[in-house]
Amino acid sequence: MLTLHTFGPGLGEPSLSPFCLKAMILLDMAGLEWAPSWETMPGGPYDKLPWIATPEGVVGDSNLLIDWLERRGAPIFPGFDPAARAMARATIRMVEENLRHCLTHDRWLNDACWEVTRPVFFAAMPGPVRAVLPGHFRKKMRKGLLAQGMARFSEADRLAYARADFDALEALLGDGRWLFGAAPSAADASAVPMLSMIDTLPADTALRRALRARPLLMEYIARGRGRLYPQFSASLSAAA
């Protein structure tokens, strides 16, 4: 039994982190037995979540988890030729290095969202700490997004970034059920949580509206939740 160190559930999702949820989905795709260790702060070798201890050592990142699972022969890119696998890897990077920043911006820097996300993100912390840390981490997030660039953009330009990625995902889906074929892959394990968490943003942001205006992606999110999320019900019940 493997132990996945992960942020806990919240905001209608099995984990507050799309990367933690991605790791859950990947472990399930690989048919491995695992249990969550719900954490309130980052940890592991890179001071981040998720991380997992394996017989070969600690795996401290969700994309390194993909590599570990592939070495074990797990079917997380089922039937992919090298070109399809390369495209799937590139899609994961697009989702996680661009849409992730769009999601983070709205969760942390949009005032209407922050009023809801703040008490959820810091609910498990003691009262005195909870009075100080949220503001500290919000400033840290703002600084990081300014350095990365997303927080420098106007709302219109942030949406242009997101819409280009939405366009790409719709093109990959086409008439299919999943991004790269008849069965879900590691690319879907990345894309579904990220899109789902944009859909469940707790305020009517321009980013959420832009996603919800796309029926193809909304159907994909619903399909992904139905196929990829139910297996976590036991873990969520244990955490409640």
Side-chain angles (χ1 to χ4, degrees):
M1 174 73 74
L2 298 170
T3 299
L4 179 69
H5 297 264
T6 172
F7 287 115
L11 300 175
E13 300 285 353
S15 172
L16 288 167
S17 163
F19 298 99
C20 292
L21 181 48
K22 168 189 166 188
M24 295 176 183
I25 294 169
L26 289 170
L27 290 170
D28 195 72
M29 280 183 177
L32 297 177
E33 292 187 7
W34 63 276
S37 175
W38 305 111
E39 311 290 349
T40 58
M41 294 292 287
Y46 302 120
D47 195 28
K48 59 186 286 189
L49 295 174
W51 65 273
I52 187 168
T54 77
E56 292 81 22
V58 172
V59 178
D61 175 85
S62 66
N63 281 313
L64 295 176
L65 179 60
I66 289 178
D67 299 337
W68 182 75
L69 291 172
E70 281 203 288
R71 289 195 296 272
R72 292 174 56 93
I76 56 173
F77 294 108
F80 284 32
D81 63 21
R85 186 182 174 283
M87 183 62 75
R89 283 279 198 168
T91 300
I92 291 170
R93 294 293 186 272
M94 176 189 74
V95 167
E96 296 180 357
E97 299 305 327
N98 196 54
L99 283 179
R100 176 265 293 254
H101 294 302
C102 296
L103 170 65
T104 301
H105 179 278
D106 278 16
R107 277 182 159 189
W108 287 83
L109 302 188
N110 179 283
D111 289 337
C113 284
W114 179 243
E115 288 303 309
V116 180
T117 56
R118 181 185 65 243
V120 174
F121 289 164
F122 299 94
M125 294 184 178
V129 176
R130 200 164 59 242
V132 176
L133 275 188
H136 167 75
F137 278 107
R138 194 185 195 200
K139 289 179 181 177
K140 186 176 179 179
M141 285 291 186
R142 187 184 301 277
K143 183 177 180 180
L145 288 171
L146 283 168
Q148 184 272 336
M150 191 61 69
R152 298 170 185 256
F153 295 139
S154 66
E155 183 172 79
D157 285 343
R158 284 198 304 274
L159 283 178
Y161 264 68
R163 285 176 176 138
D165 291 351
F166 294 160
D167 288 343
L169 292 173
E170 286 184 329
L172 288 172
L173 276 171
D175 296 328
R177 294 180 58 79
W178 307 103
L179 291 174
F180 292 96
S185 72
D188 301 290
S190 173
V192 169
M194 200 71 67
L195 293 173
S196 181
M197 291 184 193
I198 292 173
D199 175 49
T200 55
L201 281 165
D204 183 29
T205 72
L207 177 65
R208 193 181 77 172
R209 290 195 301 273
L211 174 62
R212 290 184 175 183
R214 295 176 180 249
L216 187 67
L217 291 183
M218 294 305 294
E219 290 168 7
Y220 171 63
I221 293 167
R223 187 160 55 247
R225 288 168 178 159
R227 173 75 174 266
L228 303 175
Y229 286 25
Q231 62 270 32
F232 305 131
S233 58
S235 297
L236 292 173
S237 297

